[in-house]
Amino acid sequence: MVFFDSKKRKTALDSLSIILKENTFNRVFIGSIKTFSFSWRRFVILGSINFLIFFSSSFISIINLDKIYKFIDRSNSILLALLAIIITGYALFQAMISKEALAILAGNKDDVTNQNSLNKMQHSTFITIISYITFITFNYMLLLFLDLFNIKFFNDITIYLLLSLYGTVATYLILEMKSFIYNLYQIFTISSSAQIVELLDELDKRGNT
């Protein structure tokens, strides 16, 4: 294969050896957490926007339990839909990717995470799914808490601050979809390029015969 020299072959085999050692959930999680790059700048910007929204709303409306329920439920619905998209997209990737594209991804080493591109994409998808499942579970526990306890032992300012923090985390997780979309785009681009090169090689061979 044109793309697969001895150096890329060694990269693929080394990364395969590492991924095979991740035979428990904790090891996969530790390997995946390296691909998650948290941006404090983005978090602060989203936090400021959420705080301004909730602070401004306090002048024209009164916060109550019903509104909080709707806010949490809406966030949960969006994350559940995105989780379904990620799992479906990953299944399509596994079914449609060509051997040539797999070889290219496996032989390409990422300088930041020290993994090949294939393992990095798998780890990135894994940590995104776990993040969504964790937040959905947190939403369930939060709704249960609201069912059992009266929120009135918090003052309005505290409630708005907590809702701002919650909205910031939810928005941050939703925006993480961009990494998954980029990974899919990169995979399909590499797969298409590999098929084009393979086709050109076949045409060259026919022309030389």
Side-chain angles (χ1 to χ4, degrees):
M1 185 182 293
V2 178
F3 304 103
F4 220 52
D5 55 22
S6 58
K7 183 179 179 181
K8 292 183 181 297
R9 179 183 175 86
K10 184 178 184 303
T11 298
L13 292 175
D14 289 345
S15 295
L16 179 62
S17 175
I18 293 172
I19 207 71
L20 288 175
K21 292 178 182 178
E22 296 179 346
N23 53 4
T24 64
F25 177 88
N26 289 337
R27 290 181 179 179
V28 176
F29 181 79
I30 292 171
S32 300
I33 203 71
K34 298 175 184 177
T35 64
F36 186 82
S37 55
F38 182 81
S39 172
W40 278 108
R41 181 174 177 271
R42 187 197 305 172
F43 190 84
V44 171
I45 292 173
L46 292 175
S48 301
I49 294 172
N50 274 279
F51 177 75
L52 285 174
I53 291 172
F54 284 107
F55 181 73
S56 301
S57 69
S58 66
F59 293 101
I60 58 176
S61 63
I62 299 175
I63 193 69
N64 55 43
L65 192 59
D66 184 57
K67 290 182 179 179
I68 295 175
Y69 265 111
K70 288 181 178 179
F71 181 49
I72 297 173
D73 185 62
R74 186 173 292 113
S75 300
N76 224 24
S77 298
I78 294 172
L79 289 174
L80 282 169
L82 293 179
L83 180 61
I85 292 172
I86 291 174
I87 294 174
T88 303
Y90 185 71
L92 287 173
F93 152 68
Q94 293 290 350
M96 296 178 62
I97 192 167
S98 63
K99 293 185 292 184
E100 292 78 13
L102 280 173
I104 296 170
L105 291 170
N108 182 48
K109 190 174 184 179
D110 184 80
D111 295 330
V112 178
T113 60
N114 204 31
Q115 304 179 71
N116 67 23
S117 296
L118 180 62
N119 289 351
K120 180 186 175 183
M121 289 178 181
Q122 290 178 322
H123 281 149
S124 177
T125 303
F126 179 85
I127 197 63
T128 302
I129 292 174
I130 292 301
S131 298
Y132 279 23
I133 291 175
T134 301
F135 198 75
I136 290 168
T137 304
F138 172 77
N139 282 341
Y140 166 75
M141 299 300 295
L142 184 57
L143 290 173
L144 182 63
F145 174 84
L146 293 175
D147 282 335
L148 296 176
F149 299 96
N150 192 331
I151 64 168
K152 287 305 179 182
F153 60 82
F154 290 127
N155 58 47
D156 288 346
I157 295 177
T158 303
I159 292 174
Y160 282 116
L161 286 173
L162 290 174
L163 287 175
S164 299
L165 178 60
Y166 176 90
T168 301
V169 175
T171 309
Y172 194 101
L173 289 176
I174 291 171
L175 289 178
E176 278 301 302
M177 273 294 292
K178 69 178 179 56
S179 298
F180 177 74
I181 293 171
Y182 172 74
N183 285 341
L184 277 184
Y185 170 80
Q186 192 175 23
I187 289 168
F188 288 128
T189 299
I190 292 173
S191 183
S192 300
S193 301
Q195 293 179 44
I196 291 171
V197 171
E198 186 179 9
L199 177 60
L200 292 174
D201 287 341
E202 291 179 3
L203 292 175
D204 287 340
K205 289 178 183 178
R206 293 176 185 174
N208 294 330
T209 55

